[in-house]
Amino acid sequence: MRTLTPLHQLAAEQKSAEVTDWAARISWVVGLLLFIALVYWLMRQGWKWRGSLQSDLPELTAAPDGLAGETALLTLTGRYHASTTAGQWLDRIVAHGLGARSRAELTLTARGLDVRRPGATDFFIPAEDLREARLDKALAGKVLPEGGLLIITWAHGGTLIDSGFRSDRAAEHPAWVEAVDHLTSTTEGTAR
């Protein structure tokens, strides 16, 4: 008869413990799923609460009739990222669908900026409500390389709003800043 060395004896004793407590494991998984559902529900309630706090913001302006036949100064295809209170890059506005990210088609005319968003609310910013355009890197939690976002500041119902867009061709952004700023200076000159 062969004697076992301590190493062989140790190897012979080690084996995996059998899983016998399935109820405890299933209850942990169910508890984790319920926790995830609770966090999701709380986030959704927070979004609704933010929308109710911003309920004093008037409905968005629709594009005026005859705008389609007007000469476009610039067009842009890209993404709409968010709108925030001007100067407050984390204070997202969610009222009237402004919090929903989407594809966007922008058309700048002498009458204003037409924003078409498939799957989200379209809106129009009259030229007299446009304030400025600039390049930035962050808006409502979205951070991109320097100059990666086109930010257009506009007035709506007594509130200044920053809306962020990113063109499919980022090289278009400086032309947009120049065109919007030119339009706002022209509009301000005629309003005086």
Side-chain angles (χ1 to χ4, degrees):
M1 176 185 236
R2 188 172 152 208
T3 61
L4 295 174
T5 64
L7 186 58
H8 287 113
Q9 199 173 24
L10 183 61
E13 291 175 6
Q14 287 185 347
K15 60 180 181 176
S16 297
E18 292 185 28
V19 178
T20 56
D21 196 6
W22 283 103
R25 290 182 186 256
I26 289 172
S27 64
W28 274 104
V29 169
V30 169
L32 180 62
L33 291 174
L34 287 173
F35 177 74
I36 291 170
L38 174 68
V39 168
Y40 175 77
W41 181 79
L42 288 172
M43 287 176 15
R44 185 163 169 75
Q45 291 303 107
W47 190 268
K48 286 181 180 179
W49 177 71
R50 180 173 280 277
S52 67
L53 286 178
Q54 299 165 347
S55 62
D56 60 334
L57 197 65
E59 288 291 325
L60 297 172
T61 307
D65 293 334
L67 188 67
E70 198 163 316
T71 305
L73 302 174
L74 283 175
T75 59
L76 176 144
T77 303
R79 294 204 57 83
Y80 166 80
H81 283 286
S83 289
T84 64
T85 304
Q88 304 294 320
W89 75 282
L90 287 174
D91 187 21
R92 182 188 298 262
I93 296 175
V94 301
H96 310 300
L98 288 175
R101 289 187 179 160
S102 64
R103 293 285 303 158
E105 296 172 8
L106 279 65
T107 305
L108 183 65
T109 66
R111 293 170 70 183
L113 178 65
D114 186 28
V115 181
R116 299 281 170 191
R117 300 186 308 152
T121 307
D122 298 338
F123 58 96
F124 179 77
I125 305 170
E128 59 270 9
D129 291 342
L130 288 170
R131 295 298 181 256
E132 70 169 345
R134 69 180 189 281
L135 298 179
D136 212 330
K137 65 179 181 177
L139 185 73
K142 182 70 172 178
V143 180
L144 295 166
E146 190 66 44
L149 279 174
L150 169 66
I151 307 294
I152 297 177
T153 304
W154 53 291
H156 184 62
T159 303
L160 281 179
I161 297 173
D162 283 343
S163 292
F165 304 92
R166 181 167 173 84
S167 174
D168 291 336
R169 295 172 299 283
E172 297 177 333
H173 289 174
W176 271 83
V177 170
E178 186 178 320
V180 170
D181 288 344
H182 177 72
L183 183 62
T184 58
S185 66
T186 305
T187 307
E188 286 174 2
T190 58
R192 291 180 187 162

